Amino acid sequence: MDEIDRQLLDILQQDATLSIAQMAERVGLSPTPCWKRIQKLEAQGVVTRRVAVVDPDRVGVGLSVLVSVEAGEHTPKWLERFSAGVAAMPEIMEVYRMAGDVDYVLRVAVADMTEYDAFYKRLIAVAPMKNVTSRFAMERMKYTTAYPLHPRAFRDRRAAENGDEE
């Protein structure tokens, strides 16, 4: 990937609804090479999908909960049950396996405390858990789906053209 790919990724992360012609103009390409680059980024798995980002309050799931889970067991069977269980729960937006004092952190989106209580009861039935701690967000101060695009992931085309890179 090069600087043009980085620019395209930045554009796509900010507004994937732009036309190919608009994106091409912004990165200094004609539409066909621009489209081919985007297709290549998708084929390589760099762009995994293009989606609409929805306001959780407007769709009725404005309560964000960060849930820490300590596993009841550390066995492949437990992990399989837990993984399948959390994958089937649409309220769970993200799951991370952690290093440190907790085993997993979940980001959960629900309507209110009553809905969270029902979710909690289904969660603890998935697999034996040693401890489950819930933290309720009072305010979302920053939210983005756009990843920072680190320069090391992209080659410098000018250096490559001059023979400075492999």
Side-chain angles (χ1 to χ4, degrees):
M1 293 185 295
D2 62 18
E3 177 61 23
I4 292 173
D5 294 321
R6 190 198 64 73
Q7 291 175 31
L8 284 170
L9 290 170
D10 189 45
I11 291 166
L12 287 167
Q13 287 191 101
Q14 298 305 319
D15 186 358
T17 66
L18 292 175
S19 70
I20 295 298
Q22 289 171 308
M23 287 188 263
E25 184 178 328
R26 289 186 184 187
V27 300
L29 292 175
S30 61
T32 300
C34 180
W35 177 239
K36 287 182 178 179
R37 280 177 175 263
I38 293 169
Q39 287 180 315
K40 185 177 179 182
L41 291 167
E42 290 173 337
Q44 293 173 334
V46 176
V47 175
T48 58
R49 58 189 169 147
R50 294 188 243 171
V51 300
V53 178
V54 176
D55 183 322
D57 291 318
R58 292 186 182 237
V59 296
V61 290
L63 180 60
S64 294
V65 187
L66 298 173
V67 181
S68 300
V69 174
E70 292 180 52
E73 305 169 16
H74 293 278
T75 64
K77 183 178 177 183
W78 185 93
L79 179 56
E80 187 177 313
R81 278 181 63 187
F82 180 75
S83 296
V86 297
M89 297 177 152
E91 302 91 341
I92 299 175
M93 306 299 292
E94 298 176 84
V95 178
Y96 296 95
R97 188 167 58 89
M98 305 297 291
D101 60 341
V102 298
D103 298 308
Y104 302 91
V105 172
L106 292 57
R107 183 172 68 88
V108 177
V110 291
D112 53 31
M113 192 61 71
T114 301
E115 191 174 302
Y116 179 73
D117 186 49
F119 164 82
Y120 174 84
K121 291 172 183 171
R122 285 185 307 156
L123 175 66
I124 62 172
V126 165
M129 297 178 199
K130 179 180 175 186
N131 190 33
V132 178
T133 303
S134 305
R135 293 174 179 84
F136 298 90
M138 296 181 348
E139 176 184 9
R140 180 167 69 175
M141 297 175 68
K142 179 182 178 180
Y143 173 78
T144 184
T145 60
Y147 286 101
L149 301 172
H150 198 281
R152 285 191 307 229
F154 303 91
R155 66 181 167 80
D156 182 346
R157 290 180 60 202
R158 292 171 305 224
E161 289 168 3
N162 295 330
D164 295 343
E165 281 189 13
E166 293 179 7

